[in-house]
Amino acid sequence: MTSENKQTGAEPGDSTTGESAGAPNRQEGAMERRDGVPGGPAGEPNGRADVSEREVAELVGRLTESGDMNGAERRQLLGRLTATLAKGSKKAKEAGIGRGRWLADVFTAVAPRIPVRDLATLSEHHHGLTSEDLADDLVRTAAKATMTVGAIGGALAAAEFAAPPLLLSAPAQLVAETLVVAAIEVKLLAELHEVYGVPVPGTGTQRAMVFVSAWSKQRGVDPLSPATVSVALGAATKTALRNRLMRTLGRHLTTLGPFLTGAVAGGALNRAATRKLAQAVRADLRINRALPPRKS
């Protein structure tokens, strides 16, 4: 996974301590070399990713960041992501690829490009917080970010109900919401491992798959397991990922409720799910690394 020095996906002021959008650059957000190939995920010829995959990865990456992005820009990016995914979904259907498998393949291509901050950068962006206080703030910010995605999706769906022909884009919109929420949560999970000092070995792609595997199981990574990387790249992980993504996709059906009811429901469900994930992951991480107590 790439490392970066930007904030997790929520608006400024989402954090109770108010994250700093103008923190000085300390780590470049460029893509890591993965498995010896510059650019795209392992297995792509000469490191050249499909154009649509690169665009999806770029859009998802931007939607997981906060910075000074306003609601209008977020809606525009989600709309672009929806349009790109609609084309990819059509091609996959024509090729006889099931939605679950296609969705998992897309997210597998996106995952190594999710920007993850190191501990020093996290503390800087959260006004010097450390230990459990920093973890708390990361969770609050991520939960607000996934809630925002659900709310934006619900608002777009409400507009589509006012113009029925646009409902044709609804399935792709749900996929877009699902990918962004999954990326925000994987980013949160990876950054919680940074806070708790639980290292994950491997290349950029391997580490990304370990975190994706942990997300699909809604658990923290066990650093004592010698097969962590190999298991994360196996068939069982792909199946678990597909199932988790489809469950998340199903949750976003609530955003299709009329008159902005979907916005409220989608946002609330996303926030609750992100908090539940964080609680489970932190419980696992505390087994391996107990942090100093909170500052009084």
Side-chain angles (χ1 to χ4, degrees):
M1 302 179 79
T2 64
S3 59
E4 53 107 303
N5 61 351
K6 297 179 181 178
Q7 298 166 291
T8 311
E11 299 289 350
D14 291 346
S15 159
T16 54
T17 58
E19 295 184 64
S20 169
N25 291 345
R26 192 159 53 224
Q27 287 216 329
E28 193 63 35
M31 218 181 301
E32 288 180 357
R33 290 174 62 91
R34 289 182 285 278
D35 299 335
V37 181
E44 294 170 354
N46 301 319
R48 295 188 185 91
D50 179 83
V51 173
S52 62
E53 285 186 357
R54 288 202 300 269
E55 185 176 2
V56 167
E58 177 188 352
L59 291 169
V60 171
R62 290 179 63 184
L63 283 162
T64 61
E65 298 172 0
S66 57
D68 55 358
M69 189 183 299
N70 58 38
E73 185 176 358
R74 286 182 184 280
R75 285 190 292 272
Q76 183 182 40
L77 289 174
L78 190 61
R80 284 178 55 192
L81 180 59
T82 297
T84 302
L85 289 170
K87 296 175 184 176
S89 178
K90 182 179 180 181
K91 291 180 181 178
K93 186 176 180 180
E94 292 173 349
I97 300 174
R99 167 161 289 190
R101 177 185 161 191
W102 170 73
L103 182 56
D105 286 345
V106 171
F107 191 64
T108 299
V110 168
R113 298 174 171 89
I114 297 174
V116 175
R117 298 165 289 186
D118 62 18
L119 181 58
T121 306
L122 284 168
S123 182
E124 181 179 337
H125 286 172
H126 290 259
H127 291 264
L129 290 178
T130 59
S131 188
E132 296 285 357
D133 292 323
L134 176 56
D136 287 346
D137 219 39
L138 282 176
V139 174
R140 279 190 288 265
T141 304
K144 182 64 178 292
T146 57
M147 181 181 71
T148 299
V149 173
I152 290 176
L156 291 175
E160 288 169 349
F161 270 103
L166 294 181
L167 280 172
L168 294 174
S169 67
Q173 176 191 314
L174 298 184
V175 172
E177 293 175 35
T178 298
L179 288 176
V180 175
V181 167
I184 292 171
E185 292 186 343
V186 169
K187 178 184 178 77
L188 170 65
L189 189 150
E191 292 183 341
L192 284 174
H193 281 73
E194 286 287 326
V195 173
Y196 284 86
V198 178
V200 174
T203 65
T205 294
Q206 288 173 336
R207 293 181 69 248
M209 291 304 101
V210 169
F211 291 129
V212 165
S213 175
W215 176 78
S216 66
K217 299 172 185 176
Q218 302 285 280
R219 300 299 301 268
V221 176
D222 181 2
L224 301 180
S225 173
T228 294
V229 173
S230 60
V231 169
L233 297 173
T237 294
K238 294 178 181 177
T239 299
L241 173 61
R242 182 168 63 246
N243 292 340
R244 176 59 57 186
L245 286 168
M246 292 304 289
R247 281 195 287 271
T248 305
L249 179 67
R251 188 171 78 223
H252 286 132
L253 287 172
T254 59
T255 65
L256 295 182
F259 306 114
L260 294 180
T261 57
V264 175
L269 288 175
N270 279 352
R271 179 176 59 186
T274 300
R275 287 176 172 173
K276 182 179 179 181
L277 166 68
Q279 183 177 20
V281 169
R282 292 174 73 178
D284 286 342
L285 294 177
R286 289 185 184 114
I287 295 174
N288 298 298
R289 175 72 182 276
L291 294 179
R294 292 178 173 84
K295 295 179 181 180
S296 57

